[in-house]
Amino acid sequence: MACHEQYSGFRYEVITKLRYRNENERERFEGVVNLSNTLFELLDYHQKENLRLRVRFEQDVVDLQRNSDPVSIKPCDRATIDKKLLLLQEELADLHKQKGDFALQVINLRNALDEKEKEIASKNIQIEELESSLTNSELLYRRLQQKLSETEHNLQFIKDEHDALRITYASIEDKRQKLEKENGDLIARLIELKAEDADRLNAETELIQRKKQAKLQKELEEAAREPVTLDTSRGKATVCLDAILPRKVQHKFDAHDGEVNAVAWTHSDVKFATAGGDRRVKIWDLTLGTPCLKGVAPESNSSVYSVDFDPEETLLLAASCDFACRVWSLSDMKIKHTLTGHSNKVMSAKFLGETSQVVSGSHDRTLKIWDLRRRVCMRTILAVSAVNDVVTSGNCIVSGHFDRKIRFWDIRSESTKNEILLQGRITSLDLSLDGFSLLSSVRDDTLKLIDFRMNKVVRTFNADGFLIGCDWTRAKFSPDGQFCVCGSQDGSIYIWKISFGNIEKVLREHYATVVACAWSWCGNYLLSCDKNKKAILWTEF
């Protein structure tokens, strides 16, 4: 009962089993112990009896020696004494035999007792181990009880937090539904206002168009009455009937201090521009047949990846990695506009059909249309993916993207007109002079010819050893539309025949990745640049 009060649960069961086993083992050895005690008592008794008989025997011997006179001893007494002596000797032998048997039994019992003591010691060790295990189990039980208590407390805390969050969620859900309803009402009102603005803008646009048409009609009538004089001051033609297939290097020179990223020709073919990783844009004059540096645009804050001239050859446009585009005047190389608003590097910028408008594409996944007269961003188009190059045709903008798509945008609408998925990132776009074909260079080491009217790929150009070297590698049409050209990672320049898709020529003079190539507008020269500062002017002879 005391044990039951002191211990409970599994501890009580362990103690009960230990006590039962102790009683069972004790009963098994108790008979052996009692028998051993009895044998020891018998042994003591027989030893005493043996001693008594020995003393008596010695006494009898002494008595016989005293009465040893053979004359005095009667024959009958001698026979009796001999018989008695014989009996005593036999009894002594039996006693010695019993003594030996008892000694053997004692030895056996001693051995058995030693074994039992060893078993008892082993059982005691096991009991101590079990008691130690019991103590450890009790300690573990207390720790588990404490941990269980803490877990229950934490669970209750989490339940309370869950209830509070449910209440908060219900409140937020009510607010969200109210805000959605308000948002729907605001959108409906906004749509109505936009419709009203659109009607008003359409009316204003129609009025402006009428005024422009009337003014244009008046100017045409006045121009028809004025005499016409032809300007023959230009030394080079701007219309190409048959582009040359370059065969030799006319001039090789260091264009920049770092890699050269872009090249562009003026329509008169007298000048060309280069842009590089040294943050400079340079103007070169080719009047004397040799490239001569005529001007350096003020430094940008980072590498320049795109250059373009306006149709009137009065402005130079460049796109830079410092998130901006810049416009310089060609006459004095002074900066006229800095177009900021992108949040990542600007990879391409082009004049949008006229001198007053510019479109730029950036890695911030937007296209921006700029009005240079008002010096504002007229519109921002969310282009979904990083833009690597743009080209323009009338009211259409074509953009090449990092997500392997070419997208077509109408500047008069809010969304894309169409898109084409290719097999790699788009690195460049070029539109043929007739406006019917689009050339794209792709990071799967191919050039794609796209029918601009059907918006589908009609031919693929590739070659053994041809590798697109970077994400801003530029491919170009020849001005007569018969050839296309692109530089390779190994420094070679590959020229393909458009009509058949075969390689027409491979030029090898660069020793670094060729980034950009461009034919002059008259088709007499091909200009190429690489990542090792070099620019090469190619000609036929």
Side-chain angles (χ1 to χ4, degrees):
M1 185 67 182
C3 177
H4 180 69
E5 292 177 354
Q6 184 178 1
Y7 301 103
S8 62
F10 72 95
R11 293 177 292 178
Y12 176 73
E13 292 181 1
V14 172
I15 294 298
T16 303
K17 289 181 179 181
L18 291 174
R19 291 183 179 278
Y20 172 75
R21 187 172 64 180
N22 185 30
E23 293 175 359
N24 188 23
E25 297 293 333
R26 186 179 63 185
E27 289 177 358
R28 291 169 59 186
F29 295 109
E30 189 172 5
V32 176
V33 173
N34 294 332
L35 179 60
S36 177
N37 293 333
T38 301
L39 290 175
F40 276 117
E41 291 175 357
L42 289 173
L43 180 63
D44 291 339
Y45 169 75
H46 285 291
Q47 286 178 349
K48 291 178 181 179
E49 185 67 18
N50 187 20
L51 181 61
R52 185 182 66 78
L53 291 174
R54 187 182 293 278
V55 172
R56 182 180 174 185
F57 175 74
E58 291 176 355
Q59 185 66 36
D60 289 340
V61 170
V62 172
D63 291 339
L64 287 175
Q65 289 177 355
R66 287 179 182 177
N67 300 319
S68 62
D69 186 6
V71 178
S72 62
I73 298 175
K74 296 180 179 182
C76 60
D77 293 336
R78 181 177 292 276
T80 303
I81 291 170
D82 292 336
K83 185 177 180 180
K84 189 175 182 180
L85 179 61
L86 181 62
L87 290 174
L88 288 174
Q89 289 178 347
E90 291 177 356
E91 187 177 357
L92 180 61
D94 291 336
L95 288 175
H96 280 294
K97 184 178 180 181
Q98 288 181 4
K99 179 181 178 182
D101 293 336
F102 287 148
L104 181 61
Q105 290 181 8
V106 169
I107 290 171
N108 292 334
L109 289 174
R110 175 64 65 183
N111 292 334
L113 183 62
D114 291 340
E115 292 179 358
K116 297 302 180 180
E117 287 178 351
K118 289 180 181 179
E119 291 183 5
I120 292 172
S122 176
K123 298 299 181 182
N124 290 331
I125 292 173
Q126 291 181 2
I127 291 172
E128 291 177 357
E129 292 177 353
L130 289 174
E131 288 179 350
S132 175
S133 176
L134 179 61
T135 305
N136 294 333
S137 299
E138 290 176 352
L139 181 60
L140 179 62
Y141 174 72
R142 294 192 191 95
R143 291 178 181 175
L144 290 175
Q145 279 186 331
Q146 183 179 3
K147 189 175 181 180
L148 179 62
S149 176
E150 293 176 355
T151 304
E152 290 177 351
H153 177 72
N154 294 333
L155 180 61
Q156 185 62 38
F157 177 76
I158 292 173
K159 286 182 178 179
D160 296 340
E161 288 290 329
H162 176 67
D163 295 338
L165 289 174
R166 288 183 61 185
I167 296 172
T168 305
Y169 173 75
S171 175
I172 293 174
E173 183 66 19
D174 293 338
K175 291 181 180 179
R176 185 187 66 81
Q177 292 177 358
K178 292 180 181 179
L179 290 174
E180 284 185 351
K181 184 177 180 181
E182 294 178 359
N183 187 37
D185 297 338
L186 290 173
I187 289 174
R189 289 178 58 191
L190 179 62
I191 291 173
E192 293 176 358
L193 291 174
K194 281 186 171 290
E196 293 176 0
D197 290 341
D199 294 338
R200 179 174 54 81
L201 289 174
N202 289 335
E204 293 178 357
T205 303
E206 185 177 357
L207 180 60
I208 292 172
Q209 290 293 334
R210 289 178 182 176
K211 289 181 179 180
K212 285 184 177 180
Q213 289 178 359
K215 182 179 179 181
L216 180 60
Q217 185 68 27
K218 183 178 179 181
E219 290 177 353
L220 288 174
E221 291 176 355
E222 293 177 353
R225 291 192 294 267
E226 294 179 357
V228 178
T229 58
L230 297 177
D231 183 9
T232 61
S233 59
R234 291 187 182 270
K236 293 186 179 289
T238 58
V239 178
C240 176
L241 301 177
D242 189 13
I244 60 102
L245 191 63
R247 301 179 184 277
K248 61 172 290 187
V249 175
Q250 177 171 324
H251 195 69
K252 183 176 182 180
F253 58 99
D254 290 342
H256 290 268
D257 293 335
E259 61 184 27
V260 188
N261 295 323
V263 294
W265 289 86
T266 61
H267 288 73
S268 63
D269 282 353
V270 176
K271 297 178 181 179
F272 62 86
T274 60
D278 58 358
R279 304 180 296 175
R280 291 182 173 86
V281 179
K282 296 183 179 181
I283 304 298
W284 306 82
D285 193 294
L286 201 60
T287 305
L288 302 177
T290 299
C292 181
L293 183 62
K294 288 297 184 181
V296 178
E299 293 184 8
S300 300
N301 297 320
S302 187
S303 299
V304 181
Y305 283 102
S306 172
V307 288
D308 191 28
F309 291 100
D310 71 317
E312 299 177 3
E313 299 185 12
T314 59
L315 300 177
L316 173 65
L317 171 66
S320 174
C321 276
D322 61 359
F323 309 168
C325 301
R326 291 173 176 80
V327 181
W328 292 273
S329 172
L330 279 179
S331 59
D332 53 10
M333 294 307 296
K334 290 184 178 180
I335 192 164
K336 293 179 67 69
H337 307 285
T338 299
L339 309 177
T340 58
H342 285 289
S343 60
N344 207 329
K345 59 184 178 181
V346 186
M347 298 299 295
S348 181
K350 300 289 174 59
F351 284 101
L352 190 56
E354 58 184 59
T355 305
S356 61
Q357 290 187 356
V358 168
V359 60
S360 59
S362 169
H363 272 198
D364 64 2
R365 299 181 292 180
T366 64
L367 297 170
K368 290 184 180 291
I369 301 175
W370 309 85
D371 188 335
L372 299 184
R373 286 179 296 205
R374 292 187 295 166
R375 300 183 179 182
V376 295
C377 176
M378 299 169 54
R379 181 181 169 191
T380 298
I381 301 173
L382 299 179
V384 182
S385 176
V387 183
N388 282 336
D389 200 9
V390 295
V391 293
T392 64
S393 177
N395 293 321
C396 180
I397 300 173
V398 186
S399 55
H401 296 268
F402 190 84
D403 65 354
R404 305 181 298 169
K405 289 184 178 181
I406 298 175
R407 293 181 171 86
F408 300 84
W409 311 86
D410 191 330
I411 62 176
R412 298 166 295 185
S413 65
E414 294 290 334
S415 60
T416 176
K417 291 169 55 179
N418 192 17
E419 60 183 31
I420 299 175
L421 177 64
L422 300 181
Q423 287 72 41
R425 299 191 296 273
I426 313 301
T427 68
S428 74
L429 300 171
D430 189 36
L431 193 63
S432 63
L433 290 181
D434 58 13
F436 297 152
S437 300
L438 180 68
L439 181 66
S440 172
S441 56
V442 189
R443 280 313 296 264
D444 65 351
D445 303 323
T446 62
L447 304 185
K448 304 291 185 182
L449 181 65
I450 300 169
D451 190 311
F452 196 68
R453 295 163 293 184
M454 296 185 292
N455 291 336
K456 69 176 184 178
V457 177
V458 295
R459 183 164 284 115
T460 298
F461 304 97
N462 54 18
D464 293 338
F466 174 70
L467 299 172
I468 299 292
C470 57
D471 283 348
W472 54 94
T473 298
R474 310 301 189 189
K476 287 290 184 179
F477 279 113
S478 63
D480 60 355
Q482 296 185 36
F483 306 104
C484 63
V485 63
C486 187
S488 174
Q489 186 176 3
D490 62 356
S492 302
I493 299 173
Y494 289 78
I495 301 175
W496 289 269
K497 185 76 172 180
I498 296 292
S499 56
F500 300 106
N502 61 300
I503 296 178
E504 195 73 17
K505 187 73 175 177
V506 179
L507 305 175
R508 305 182 190 278
E509 185 64 28
H510 289 280
Y511 298 100
T513 299
V514 178
V515 178
C517 300
W519 254 290
S520 62
W521 287 89
C522 66
N524 292 333
Y525 300 103
L526 175 67
L527 184 63
S528 61
C529 61
D530 63 27
K531 285 190 174 184
N532 193 26
K533 305 188 293 184
K534 299 295 183 182
I536 298 179
L537 186 66
W538 303 83
T539 186
E540 185 176 12
F541 302 108

